[in-house]
Amino acid sequence: MKLFRHGIEGHENPGVVADDGSLRDLTGIVADIAGDALSDTSLAILRGLDRDALPIVPAETRIGACVGRVGKLVCVGLNYVAHAAEAQQAAPAEPLLFLKATTAICGPYDTVMLAKHARKVDWEVELGVVIGSVCRYVTEEDATNYIAGYCVVNDVSDRFYQLEGTGQWVKGKSNDSYAPVGPWLVTRDEVENPSGRSIWLDVDGHRYQNGNTADMVFNVPQLVSYISNLMTLMPGDIIATGTPSGVGIGQQPHPIYLHAGQVMTLGIDGLGQQSQRVVDWTQ
């Protein structure tokens, strides 16, 4: 089942993709694709609906982030073998974690607005794991049972503020619009194994990232278990599981960074595709 959210930013309504690919409205059936609606019980009810009988979402409607009221966006650094190599670092012995401000979350087709102080803004396509139930001290063997589903995340990053100043990576990761999420939350029953999936990103039609989730240093169950032993994961929390090689900072002979007017297109096999135009800060 593919769930999504549609409408004006900050006032999105829930939706589901019908078998014929049409977008259907879930308003009045569930309050949002968030919180308790992500439980196994709630998802089973939604799965049993006659989707063809639901109202069609107009084609021109904005698609928002596929999860609402996200409490935490937990990110994993250097979690692809090839990406660690291009960063000229050894693969980490344990997951490298940082948090990204939830105010960075936006829709999969929204514009990415370069921050007023932007310097070296980069792209990172990532597999997102959406938590469905309270997750605390879980084992790797049981971790999948706490997952509602999966989505595409673009971890837009300003490398200057991430790497060249003092403090934590969060400074280069958290500007508004630096975390497009969606278009779909694909429930775990449709994703038997999130490993072995192609994951890619283009800028202006040029393929920069062309990886596979099988290249992860730590797989999804390992990450969910590890993180749940450090913090309680709540329904709607998202884990961004790292990016493959091909990021801008790793380009040779010189790094390449985003500028206004460019378009990022990215996706993961079976989870959908995003596209964002990059614009200058205008506020």
Side-chain angles (χ1 to χ4, degrees), residues 49-133:
L49 294 172
D50 179 3
R51 300 173 205 171
D52 294 335
L54 297 170
I56 292 178
V57 176
E60 66 275 11
T61 304
R62 171 185 173 271
I63 303 299
C66 61
V67 186
R69 305 200 309 269
V70 178
K72 292 188 289 296
L73 178 48
V74 185
C75 301
V76 186
L78 300 177
N79 195 39
Y80 281 70
V81 174
H83 177 50
E86 78 174 344
Q88 300 181 354
Q89 297 191 45
E94 60 184 271
L96 191 165
L97 304 181
F98 60 94
L99 296 174
K100 193 174 178 96
T102 57
T103 48
I105 294 173
C106 66
Y109 312 118
D110 290 346
T111 56
V112 166
M113 182 181 291
L114 299 174
K116 184 178 181 180
H117 52 266
R119 299 281 291 272
K120 299 178 178 180
V121 180
D122 203 346
W123 56 82
E124 293 191 10
V125 57
E126 309 204 4
L127 169 68
V129 177
V130 180
I131 300 300
S133 57

Side-chain angles (χ1 to χ4, degrees), residues 191-208:
V191 186
E192 183 176 350
N193 185 358
S195 184
R197 293 176 178 264
S198 62
I199 177 171
W200 55 272
L201 182 144
D202 298 346
V203 179
D204 291 342
H206 179 83
R207 178 70 40 102
Y208 282 100

Side-chain angles (χ1 to χ4, degrees), residues 7 10 24 39 47 59 72 82 84 89 103 109 119 138 144-145 148 151 157 166 175 221 265-266 268 277-278 283:
R24 303 287 176 149
S39 70
R47 199 172 290 116
K72 292 188 289 296
Q89 297 191 45
T103 48
Y109 312 118
R119 299 281 291 272
V138 304
T144 302
N145 294 326
C151 62
S157 308
T166 59
N175 287 107
T265 307
L266 55 148
I268 300 175
R277 178 172 294 277
V278 181
Q283 298 178 357

Side-chain angles (χ1 to χ4, degrees), residues 131-154:
I131 300 300
S133 57
V134 177
C135 183
R136 181 186 298 117
Y137 300 124
V138 304
T139 64
E140 291 179 24
E141 294 72 22
D142 200 29
T144 302
N145 294 326
Y146 293 83
I147 296 172
Y150 303 88
C151 62
V152 181
V153 176
N154 189 355

